[in-house]
Amino acid sequence: MNIKRAKEELKHTIEAYLKKDEFGNYKIPPVNQRPLLLIGPPGIGKTAIMEQVARECKVGLVSYTITHHTRQSAIGLPFIEEKEFNGKKYNVTEYTMSEIIASVYEKIEQTGIKEGILFLDEINCVSETLAPTMLQFLQGKTFGNHKVPEGFIIVSAGNPPEYNRSVREFDIVTLDRVRKMEIEEDYQAFKEYGYKNGLHDSILSYLELKKENFYRIETTVDGKSFVTARGWEDLSRMIYLYEEMGLALDEELVYQYLQHKKTAKDFTSYFELYKKYKTDYKIHEMLCGTEPITVSEQLKQSAFDEKLSVISLFISKLTENFKETEWMDVFVSKLYEKLNDIKYLLTKEGELIGEEDFYKTFWEAEPLKLLERMAERVEEEYSSLKKAGLLGREEERLYLMLAKVLFSYVYEVKERGAKTGEEVMEILRTLFGKEAKKREEVIENAGQQLQLAFEFMEKNFGESQEMVIFLTELTANYYSMNYIREYGSKEYYKYHKDLLLSERKEELLREIQMVL
C-alpha cells in the first residue's frame, strides 16, 4: 500500500482500538489489540504520518527511535526487593521503570490526554541484547515488569533488509501477534501531500516531468546513492528560505538533500530554468492584473517541459490564493463563534450553564472583562493544544491570530470607553465587519485570478493537451477543489465536461516521454 492508504488505515485502527462499550471498557481489550508494524523503505513518511494521525485523532504521541536504546534504558535497571512467600522472605530481582514507559506516563501528566500512540521506529534494527526484549514487547506490550498504559496503542516501524544490513527478521510467533503493513513509495500520494502542504512548486513541476527521480536508492562504487520523499520535502523548506533571503540555490546545497549526483544536478539545472520562466512569462503580474493576458508566441514554440513549467507556475500562484481563502474562511468563522458567545453572555439574563461556567466570575463584572477573558481563554487553549502536540502549522496560526485580534478588540473597546454591553457589541460588530470584508475580498481575488488563468490557457493553448494537464492539476489539488466546490468556476466546469482528465493526461505524457 502507499503512504496515504497507510495513514487512513492507521486512523481507522486508532479509532477502532479506542472504541468503548457502555461500561467504559475498550471493545477490543488492550491485550488483544495487535501492535501495528509498518515496513517500508526509508524516507517515505512513516514517522510524519504518525504525527498527522495523532493530531487528527486528538491523541498523544510518544515517539522513540529504538536503536538509540540499550537493554537497560528499555527495560530498566535491576534492584533487589525483599518479598515474603509462604512465611519465608526472599530476595527478588525487580526492575526500575523503563525510560520508554515512563515517557508515556509523563506525556499523560503533561497533556492530560490518557490515550495515544507509542511509536517505536527502526524496531527491526535493535542490538542483539535488546532483540528478545523487543519481541517480548510486541507480544506482551511490556518492557521488563511494566506494561504500556491502557489507552496507548503500539505502532512500530522498520525498513526491509535490502535497505539496512542491521535488520533482524521477526519469527512467525511474533509476526502472528502484530498487524504488518507493507508500504511502498508512491509519487501520486506524495504529490497530493505536496499540494496540501505547500511543497515548492519547482519540485512538483520537476517530478511531474521526471517521476523516476522521485525515489531511488542505488549502490555504486562510491557507496549508497539515494533520493527520498523526505529529501524532497526538506529541500522544499530550504528553497523557500533561500528565496526569502535572496540567496542562490546551487548543486552542492541540493546534493545535501538529494544524495544522488545525477538527480541533484538535473534538478538544479531545472530550477534555474524554472526561475527564468517565472520572470519571462510574468505570471504573477498577469494574475494580479498589472500585465495584460496576451498570446505568447515564445510559449507556443517552446518545448513541452517549458509549457508544463508555466502551467505549474500558474497552479502554484492559484494555490496560494485558494489556501488563503480556506484559512480566512475558518478564521472568520471561529471569530464569529467567539463574538457570538460574547453577545449571548452580554444579553442573556439568568444563569450560565455548560461550557460557559468559566464566565460566571465575570457575570457581574464590566462587559470588557468578558471580552478580555475570552481572549485569555483562546491563549490558554492554544498553549494546552500546543503542549499536547495537537496543532499543525495552520491551526497554530489560527489560534495565534484569533488571540491577537481579540486582544486588539479589547484595546479598541478600552480606547472608545464603552461601558454597557450594547456599546461593546456595537464596537465588536463594526470590527468584525472589517474581517468579514477582508474574507470576501480574498474569495473574490482568488476567483478573479482563476478566471485570468483560464483566459491565458484559452488564448495560448485552447482545448489542447496543455489545457487537459491544467485541469487535471486543478482537480488533483486539495485547495483548488475545495475552492471550486464552495464557490464554483464556470470555466472549470465547462472544460471539465468537455475533456477527459486524468486518463487523457497520462496517455499524453507517456507519448511525449517516448518522443523525448
Side-chain angles (χ1 to χ4, degrees):
M1 66 177 70
N2 64 33
I3 199 73
K4 180 184 176 183
R5 171 68 197 283
K7 179 185 171 182
E8 291 171 356
E9 195 61 40
L10 280 166
K11 282 184 69 175
H12 295 159
T13 299
I14 302 301
E15 291 164 0
Y17 281 2
L18 296 181
K19 282 278 186 186
K20 295 178 180 177
D21 61 21
E22 65 271 30
F23 305 108
N25 298 315
Y26 291 110
K27 289 190 172 182
I28 301 178
V31 70
N32 299 124
Q33 293 177 0
R34 287 194 174 201
L36 288 97
L37 175 61
L38 314 182
I39 298 294
I44 61 172
K46 298 188 292 294
T47 303
I49 62 168
M50 296 314 308
E51 295 167 356
Q52 295 164 27
V53 167
R55 282 200 302 269
E56 292 170 23
C57 292
K58 304 297 181 188
V59 297
L61 174 65
V62 176
S63 182
Y64 272 95
T65 300
I66 201 64
T67 48
H68 297 167
H69 282 269
T70 63
R71 186 172 183 275
Q72 286 74 23
S73 64
I75 69 170
L77 293 169
F79 66 92
I80 304 300
E81 178 79 5
E82 190 178 81
K83 292 190 177 182
E84 187 174 310
F85 301 108
N86 295 325
K88 290 186 178 182
K89 292 183 178 179
Y90 297 88
N91 290 328
V92 178
T93 303
E94 292 282 357
Y95 286 87
T96 57
M97 182 176 282
S98 158
E99 178 189 323
I100 296 171
I101 299 294
S103 294
V104 176
Y105 282 108
E106 283 173 2
K107 187 74 173 182
I108 293 169
E109 285 191 7
Q110 287 171 0
T111 64
I113 300 172
K114 295 182 179 180
E115 296 176 327
I117 301 164
L118 173 56
F119 177 60
L120 300 182
D121 201 6
E122 298 183 10
I123 196 165
N124 57 350
C125 295
V126 295
S127 64
E128 188 174 343
T129 56
L130 194 52
T133 301
M134 286 299 100
L135 298 182
Q136 178 201 18
F137 167 70
L138 290 174
Q139 292 173 12
K141 302 188 174 100
T142 62
F143 277 118
N145 299 336
H146 303 280
K147 275 187 170 291
V148 176
E150 286 194 3
F152 262 73
I153 292 154
I154 298 166
V155 182
S156 56
N159 304 136
E162 60 265 31
Y163 297 101
N164 195 325
R165 287 179 294 180
S166 303
V167 164
R168 294 175 174 277
E169 294 285 351
F170 290 124
D171 57 31
I172 293 175
V173 174
T174 302
L175 290 174
D176 195 36
R177 287 173 168 81
V178 300
R179 286 179 53 186
K180 183 180 176 184
M181 297 165 61
E182 294 185 347
I183 307 170
E184 298 175 346
E185 69 275 11
D186 184 281
Y187 170 66
Q188 284 304 124
F190 179 75
K191 180 179 173 181
E192 285 183 42
Y193 171 83
Y195 273 134
K196 191 171 182 180
N197 290 276
L199 203 72
H200 198 276
D201 45 292
S202 63
I203 291 175
L204 290 171
S205 175
Y206 172 78
L207 290 177
E208 196 64 20
L209 284 165
K210 303 286 182 72
K211 292 184 180 69
E212 68 276 10
N213 289 343
F214 162 59
Y215 192 98
R216 57 197 307 172
I217 296 179
E218 298 171 359
T219 303
T220 67
V221 292
D222 298 319
K224 291 286 186 184
S225 185
F226 59 90
V227 180
T228 68
R230 182 193 293 129
W232 287 113
E233 186 171 10
D234 290 345
L235 175 61
S236 171
R237 294 189 184 101
M238 188 55 73
I239 292 174
Y240 279 122
L241 288 173
Y242 264 50
E243 287 181 332
E244 188 180 314
M245 296 186 293
L247 299 175
L249 196 74
D250 61 25
E251 189 179 329
E252 287 187 7
L253 176 66
V254 172
Y255 181 65
Q256 292 165 22
Y257 293 93
L258 312 178
Q259 296 183 48
H260 185 277
K261 288 189 180 296
K262 186 177 178 182
T263 303
K265 182 177 182 179
D266 197 38
F267 175 75
T268 307
S269 300
Y270 178 81
F271 183 77
E272 289 305 312
L273 283 172
Y274 198 74
K275 287 196 302 181
K276 181 177 180 295
Y277 301 151
K278 188 180 288 190
T279 304
D280 287 354
Y281 293 107
K282 298 182 179 179
I283 289 163
H284 177 83
E285 291 81 0
M286 280 191 287
L287 290 181
C288 290
T290 56
E291 286 284 334
I293 303 294
T294 57
V295 175
S296 172
E297 291 301 326
Q298 177 189 341
L299 183 60
K300 284 190 172 184
Q301 301 301 319
S302 66
F304 172 72
D305 59 349
E306 185 168 338
K307 292 174 181 176
L308 185 60
S309 298
V310 170
I311 292 169
S312 293
L313 285 165
F314 271 107
I315 294 292
S316 175
K317 180 58 182 162
L318 292 173
T319 300
E320 286 179 25
N321 297 324
F322 297 144
K323 192 173 183 179
E324 189 61 18
T325 297
E326 183 165 304
W327 189 87
M328 280 295 291
D329 239 353
V330 175
F331 169 71
V332 171
S333 296
K334 287 286 184 185
L335 182 60
Y336 177 79
E337 286 175 17
K338 299 300 180 187
L339 297 182
N340 208 40
D341 288 346
I342 291 172
K343 176 185 176 183
Y344 175 77
L345 293 166
L346 289 174
T347 57
K348 182 180 183 298
E349 294 181 1
E351 207 172 317
L352 296 177
I353 56 171
E355 294 181 2
E356 299 155 357
D357 285 347
F358 73 94
Y359 287 116
K360 283 183 179 178
T361 310
F362 304 98
W363 185 248
E364 302 294 337
E366 297 176 9
L368 179 61
K369 291 292 183 183
L370 279 171
L371 179 59
E372 199 164 17
R373 180 63 185 131
M374 179 67 78
E376 290 168 354
R377 182 77 173 183
V378 170
E379 276 194 335
E380 290 166 6
E381 190 177 352
Y382 163 74
S383 297
S384 175
L385 290 170
K386 186 173 176 62
K387 193 175 182 180
L390 297 179
L391 291 179
R393 188 181 300 174
E394 294 303 309
E395 292 167 313
E396 188 169 340
R397 179 188 170 203
L398 177 67
Y399 272 96
L400 290 171
M401 185 58 73
L402 199 55
K404 180 181 177 181
V405 168
L406 287 172
F407 277 117
S408 74
Y409 287 3
V410 171
Y411 174 79
E412 193 71 26
V413 169
K414 280 181 181 177
E415 284 292 296
R416 297 196 192 182
K419 299 295 182 185
T420 67
E422 187 50 47
E423 287 174 340
V424 170
M425 283 311 304
E426 189 57 39
I427 292 169
L428 295 182
R429 286 188 198 101
T430 303
L431 294 172
F432 176 75
K434 293 179 180 178
E435 297 297 334
K437 186 179 179 182
K438 283 183 197 174
R439 170 185 170 275
E440 292 302 320
E441 288 170 353
V442 169
I443 293 169
E444 186 179 350
N445 179 59
Q448 287 173 350
Q449 293 203 8
L450 181 58
Q451 270 186 308
L452 289 170
F454 269 108
E455 185 182 338
F456 178 89
M457 295 300 298
E458 287 168 355
K459 284 185 175 180
N460 285 278
F461 301 119
E463 293 190 12
S464 63
Q465 62 185 29
E466 288 81 9
M467 181 65 86
V468 174
I469 292 168
F470 179 66
L471 284 165
T472 307
E473 294 306 304
L474 284 176
T475 305
N477 189 310
Y478 171 85
Y479 291 105
S480 61
M481 284 314 299
N482 277 2
Y483 180 90
I484 291 168
R485 274 192 291 265
E486 184 70 23
Y487 304 108
S489 167
K490 62 181 181 181
E491 295 86 1
Y492 175 84
Y493 291 127
K494 172 182 178 292
Y495 282 103
H496 189 279
K497 182 180 178 182
D498 294 344
L499 301 171
L500 295 173
L501 293 181
S502 58
E503 294 85 359
R504 185 173 169 192
K505 178 200 169 188
E506 288 302 319
E507 183 184 340
L508 287 166
L509 286 175
R510 281 195 298 271
E511 290 175 4
I512 291 161
Q513 290 297 336
M514 287 175 67
V515 172
L516 295 175

